[in-house]
């Protein structure tokens, strides 16, 4: 590694550090006072900033990953993906921020390699690096991997692109080696995810191996089985305490453009200015039609008292001036709904009710609440929009769903049959909502009866399992987009007649994000062989997806 590259990485990392303290457990430290970048602070910074960067959570997670899969809708900028609106300026954010995090982690690895006492920092950095690279390649496809980040020489401004298959093969190697490298006798301070618990880091590494093994079922089933079984045998998550999560701090959200990376980035989007985010009917209807106890745990109706309804800001669930009216609205209007997929809030969906533009009214606390058009759909509950909401990078409930699928495929019986793991996943996800995210429990519905009935009443058990991935991944929308392409569930109706829809998709659904203009302009020679017939096309599947139509409802 050339000295100039190392110096550049130190400067970039120092400027982006979110704390200067050696412990890094105090998120209230001034982020501008750091002068030294070392493995401990670099890893701590990445753990929180990866989910704390509002712009990436806004322009990628919400705008495309979650809205393409019809989890959320909005008035315009939060969810371009609901109408398949092509905006390259949005689509570059994840690329740039992910490679920034990867450079930090690569530098941490290089520094830790020089001191045997820092072996745990090296192993943790390798695990995190795989996780970030996986979400990056799952989103864009083939990309610079082996020559990327701090590994590149200072004269290599045009890193080679690697095939996703080769990248995935290296994931399995890296995660296996990193898990074996972890040393219980060595320190792991400043760890914001597991507080230095080395054994839980092993389980996380193995659980990620299981996730990526299952990604291969449509392109290499035998390797998927082999890698999945090995990961499970080495030990995956066993309860919600093993969930890979990071706590965020409660910080003032700027409405002028500055981003506070120590707070939850997804929550920052919802608290920003007058941006409005509502639940999409596709997501809501699955919960509502199956009497899912999580519907009212996650979503509610919010509006403003009539005299305050002049500003949309006052009706957002994330705004203290809004009034929670879920019960009152249900009693008056009979049904709770999300917004129709494929439309922005300023548009009128097909088959919209006659009063779509007219306000509705309910009474609360002896006062009239006015529900304007934008707020007739469900919103995320206020306490789940808080800035200090934890971020979950991988949940125990996700792991249980992988175990359910492995059992269903007959690979082996890992502590129970498919139904047992399926029910465990639902119970775990409900607990994660309450214990980790702070949702209020729904005491009106028996979750055991719900899980039993849903399993028994769903003829296609693979659909049953993967629809639970869809539910679970609301707070991990990048994984939701990946698993929809992998599994084909839910089956989504494409948006075709919206005036903002990219018509080059030919009536299908985007399956990746296009490469940034910087890559098209400055690294075109390396990128060219990895384009779709020379076109930077976001309707092209990535390697493990290998389908244009999986999960797409093509009926008229």
């Amino acid at each position: 590694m050339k000295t100039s590259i190392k110096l550049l990485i130190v400067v970039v990392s120092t400027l982006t550090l979110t704390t200067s303290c050696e412990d890094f457990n105090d998120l209230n430290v001034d982020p501008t006072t750091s002068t030294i970048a070392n493995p401990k602070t670099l890893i701590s910074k990445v753990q929180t900033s990866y989910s704390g960067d509002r712009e990436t959570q806004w322009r990628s997670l919400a705008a495309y990953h979650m809205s393409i899969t019809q989890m959320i809708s909005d008035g315009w900028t939060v969810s371009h993906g609901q109408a398949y609106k092509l905006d390259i300026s949005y689509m570059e954010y994840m690329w740039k921020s992910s490679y920034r995090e990867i450079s930090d982690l690569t530098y941490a690895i290089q520094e830790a390699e020089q001191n045997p006492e820092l072996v745990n920092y090296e192993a943790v950095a390798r695990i995190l690096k795989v996780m970030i690279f996986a979400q990056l390649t799952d989103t864009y496809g083939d990309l610079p991997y082996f020559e990327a980040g701090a590994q590149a020489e200072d004269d290599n401004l045009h890193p080679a692109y690697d095939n996703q298959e080769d990248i995935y093969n290296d994931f399995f190697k890296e995660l296996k080696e990193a898990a074996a490298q972890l040393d219980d006798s060595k320190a792991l301070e400043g760890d914001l995810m597991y507080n230095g618990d080395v054994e839980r880091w092993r389980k996380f590494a193995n659980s990620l191996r299981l996730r990526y093994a299952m990604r291969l079922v449509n392109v290499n089933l035998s390797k998927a089985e082999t890698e999945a079984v090995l990961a499970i045998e080495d030990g995956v998550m066993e309860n919600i305490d093993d969930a890979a999560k990071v706590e965020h701090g409660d910080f003032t959200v700027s409405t002028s453009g500055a981003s506070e990376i120590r707070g939850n980035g997804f929550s920052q989007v919802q608290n920003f200015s007058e941006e409005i985010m509502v639940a999409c009917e596709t997501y809501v209807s699955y919960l509502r039609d199956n009497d899912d106890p999580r519907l009212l745990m996650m979503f509610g109706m919010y509006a403003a008292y009539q005299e305050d309804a002049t500003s949309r800001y006052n009706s957002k669930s994330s705004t203290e001036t809004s009034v929670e009216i879920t019960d009152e609205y249900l009693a008056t209007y009979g049904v709770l709904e999300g917004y129709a997929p494929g439309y922005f809030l300023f548009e009128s969906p097909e088959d919209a009710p006659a009063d779509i533009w007219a306000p509705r009214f309910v009474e609360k606390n002896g006062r009239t609440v006015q529900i304007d058009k934008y707020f007739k759909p469900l919103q995320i509950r206020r306490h789940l929009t808080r800035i200090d909401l934890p971020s979950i990078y991988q949940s125990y409930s996700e792991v249980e769903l992988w175990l359910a699928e492995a059992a269903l495929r007959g690979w082996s019986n890992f502590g129970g049959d498919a139904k047992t793991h399926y029910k465990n996943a639902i119970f775990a996800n409900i607990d994660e909502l309450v214990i980790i995210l702070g949702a209020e429990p729904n005491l009106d519905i028996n979750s055991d009866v719900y899980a039993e009935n849903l399993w028994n009443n769903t003829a296609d058990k693979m659909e049953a399992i993967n629809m639970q991935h869809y539910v679970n991944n609301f707070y991990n929308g990048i994984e939701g987009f990946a698993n929809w392409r992998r599994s084909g569930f839910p089956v989504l109706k494409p948006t075709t007649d919206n005036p903002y829809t990219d018509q080059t998709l030919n009536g299908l659904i985007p399956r990746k994000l296009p490469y940034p203009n910087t890559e098209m302009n400055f690294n075109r020679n390396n990128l060219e062989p990895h384009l779709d017939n020379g076109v930077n096309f976001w309707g092209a599947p990535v390697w493990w997806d290998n389908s244009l139509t999986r999960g797409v409802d093509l009926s008229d």
Side-chain angles (χ1 to χ4, degrees):
M1 174 56 55
K2 300 294 180 65
T3 302
S4 59
I5 286 294
K6 284 191 175 183
L7 179 59
L8 175 62
I9 295 164
V10 171
V11 171
V12 172
S13 300
T14 299
L15 289 175
T16 56
L17 283 176
T18 60
T19 179
S20 63
C21 60
E22 283 296 306
D23 192 343
F24 209 85
N25 286 319
D26 184 0
L27 287 173
N28 292 300
V29 174
D30 184 352
T32 65
T33 59
S34 179
T35 59
I36 299 175
N38 59 49
K40 179 164 57 174
T41 54
L42 285 170
I43 289 169
S44 300
K45 174 260 174 184
V46 170
Q47 286 179 343
T48 186
S49 65
Y50 187 60
S51 55
D53 181 354
R54 183 188 69 206
E55 294 306 299
T56 301
Q57 298 291 307
W58 183 345
R59 316 292 181 176
S60 296
L61 173 76
Y64 287 104
H65 294 93
M66 294 183 72
S67 54
I68 288 173
T69 50
Q70 300 176 13
M71 292 180 173
I72 60 171
S73 300
D74 94 302
W76 181 243
T77 61
V78 173
S79 51
H80 281 0
Q82 65 193 353
Y84 316 151
K85 182 181 184 298
L86 181 64
D87 191 329
I88 293 291
S89 67
Y90 271 37
M91 296 169 173
E92 294 185 347
Y93 277 89
M94 183 179 178
W95 183 279
K96 293 176 180 178
S97 64
S98 295
Y99 274 114
R100 183 172 61 243
E101 309 286 15
I102 288 163
S103 287
D104 284 345
L105 293 170
T106 304
Y107 183 74
I109 291 168
Q110 292 170 345
E111 290 298 299
E113 284 176 336
Q114 301 176 37
N115 184 348
E117 292 301 312
L118 300 180
V119 63
N120 285 334
Y121 300 100
E122 179 185 352
V124 165
R126 293 173 75 179
I127 295 167
L128 291 173
K129 186 178 170 185
V130 168
M131 180 187 75
I132 295 173
F133 252 129
Q135 295 196 331
L136 193 64
T137 185
D138 290 346
T139 296
Y140 293 94
D142 299 345
L143 44 72
Y145 178 76
F146 293 103
E147 293 185 6
Q151 293 130 283
E153 295 293 333
D154 60 352
D155 58 351
N156 184 5
L157 301 178
H158 309 285
Y161 273 63
D162 299 295
N163 293 324
Q164 190 177 61
E165 182 177 8
D166 296 331
I167 295 171
Y168 258 75
N169 287 336
D170 197 64
F171 288 166
F172 299 124
K173 177 189 77 69
E174 281 292 294
L175 290 171
K176 182 177 180 178
E177 290 179 2
Q181 191 176 28
L182 288 162
D183 187 339
D184 297 273
S185 68
K186 298 293 190 297
L188 181 55
E189 299 174 344
D191 171 21
L192 301 179
M193 290 173 60
Y194 288 119
N195 196 29
D197 190 324
V198 171
E199 179 56 29
R200 284 187 170 140
W201 273 104
R202 287 195 191 95
K203 293 179 183 179
F204 179 37
N206 295 328
S207 298
L208 286 177
R209 284 172 62 196
L210 177 58
R211 172 194 282 177
Y212 305 137
M214 301 303 287
R215 206 79 95 218
L216 307 186
V217 294
N218 297 308
V219 289
N220 193 336
L221 188 60
S222 62
K223 185 172 181 62
E225 178 180 358
T226 298
E227 294 292 347
V229 171
L230 288 173
I232 295 167
E233 289 177 345
D234 283 348
V236 295
M237 295 179 188
E238 299 177 281
N239 52 60
I240 67 169
D241 291 335
D242 292 333
K245 65 182 184 299
V246 64
E247 303 287 338
H248 288 287
D250 187 9
F251 300 98
T252 301
V253 177
S254 168
T255 59
S256 63
S259 179
E260 171 51 76
I261 63 174
R262 293 172 292 179
N264 183 296
F266 185 54
S267 293
Q268 290 184 57
V269 175
Q270 297 170 75
N271 282 268
F272 183 75
S273 187
E274 292 197 19
E275 298 298 342
I276 300 168
M277 182 186 298
V278 299
C280 181
E281 174 63 9
T282 304
Y283 190 86
V284 168
S285 63
Y286 180 75
L287 299 176
R288 183 188 61 234
D289 295 349
N290 289 294
D291 293 326
D292 194 305
R294 289 164 290 188
L295 177 64
L296 294 181
M297 293 171 63
M298 297 171 64
F299 304 105
M301 294 296 298
Y302 293 82
Y305 288 120
Q306 193 168 23
E307 61 270 24
D308 298 326
T310 54
S311 169
R312 292 173 183 164
Y313 184 72
N314 291 335
S315 293
K316 292 174 54 175
S317 64
S318 58
T319 305
E320 290 298 327
T321 52
S322 66
V323 184
E324 196 269 314
I325 53 165
T326 308
D327 291 340
E328 292 81 2
Y329 187 91
L330 187 59
T332 304
Y333 295 101
V335 64
L336 301 173
E337 298 176 297
Y339 201 67
Y343 297 89
F344 293 104
L345 288 172
F346 60 80
E347 299 171 320
S348 294
E350 186 179 0
D351 300 325
D355 70 340
I356 185 170
W357 292 106
R360 292 178 175 177
F361 302 93
V362 298
E363 296 297 312
K364 176 109 177 186
N365 300 325
R367 300 168 65 183
T368 300
V369 177
Q370 180 172 318
I371 309 129
D372 290 330
K373 191 252 189 183
Y374 281 28
F375 302 100
K376 292 175 184 177
L378 288 162
Q379 298 185 62
I380 298 173
R381 287 211 173 254
R382 175 178 289 129
H383 53 281
L384 297 179
T385 69
R386 66 187 193 274
I387 302 301
D388 63 351
L389 188 78
S391 292
I392 303 176
Y393 293 136
Q394 188 176 32
S395 65
Y396 166 59
S397 54
E398 177 196 322
V399 172
E400 280 289 346
L401 289 171
W402 296 133
L403 294 175
E405 182 170 336
L408 187 64
R409 291 182 179 276
W411 291 351
S412 189
N413 187 318
F414 307 106
D417 59 11
K419 179 180 177 180
T420 298
H421 289 298
Y422 174 84
K423 294 178 68 173
N424 287 345
I426 292 175
F427 303 152
N429 186 239
I430 292 172
D431 286 344
E432 286 157 356
L433 284 170
V434 175
I435 297 171
I436 297 178
L437 298 182
E440 295 179 2
N442 185 342
L443 303 178
D444 295 331
I445 300 178
N446 187 310
S447 57
D448 183 69
V449 172
Y450 161 75
E452 180 76 21
N453 289 341
L454 192 57
W455 177 264
N456 293 337
N457 294 333
T458 307
D460 185 344
K461 303 309 181 188
M462 201 66 77
E463 177 184 2
I465 292 168
N466 283 287
M467 286 305 296
Q468 287 305 309
H469 274 294
Y470 184 56
V471 175
N472 284 12
N473 280 323
F474 188 85
Y475 284 98
N476 201 348
I478 297 176
E479 293 302 317
F481 181 46
N483 197 60
W484 164 70
R485 291 173 287 163
R486 182 199 77 97
S487 69
F489 298 108
V491 179
L492 302 175
K493 190 71 176 175
T495 297
T496 57
D497 57 358
N498 192 290
Y500 298 98
T501 297
D502 179 9
Q503 295 302 318
T504 67
L505 291 166
N506 294 318
L508 296 177
I509 300 177
R511 304 195 78 86
K512 63 190 287 294
L513 293 190
Y515 294 104
N517 281 337
T518 49
E519 289 296 296
M520 292 291 291
N521 293 333
F522 300 110
N523 199 14
R524 181 66 181 246
N525 288 341
N526 286 319
L527 171 57
E528 184 78 32
H530 301 269
L531 296 175
D532 183 62
N533 295 317
V535 178
N536 191 13
F537 183 46
W538 63 327
V542 300
W543 164 73
W544 55 254
D545 180 7
N546 77 352
S547 174
L548 290 170
T549 59
R550 187 182 300 111
V552 182
D553 180 358
L554 297 176
S555 63
D556 294 331

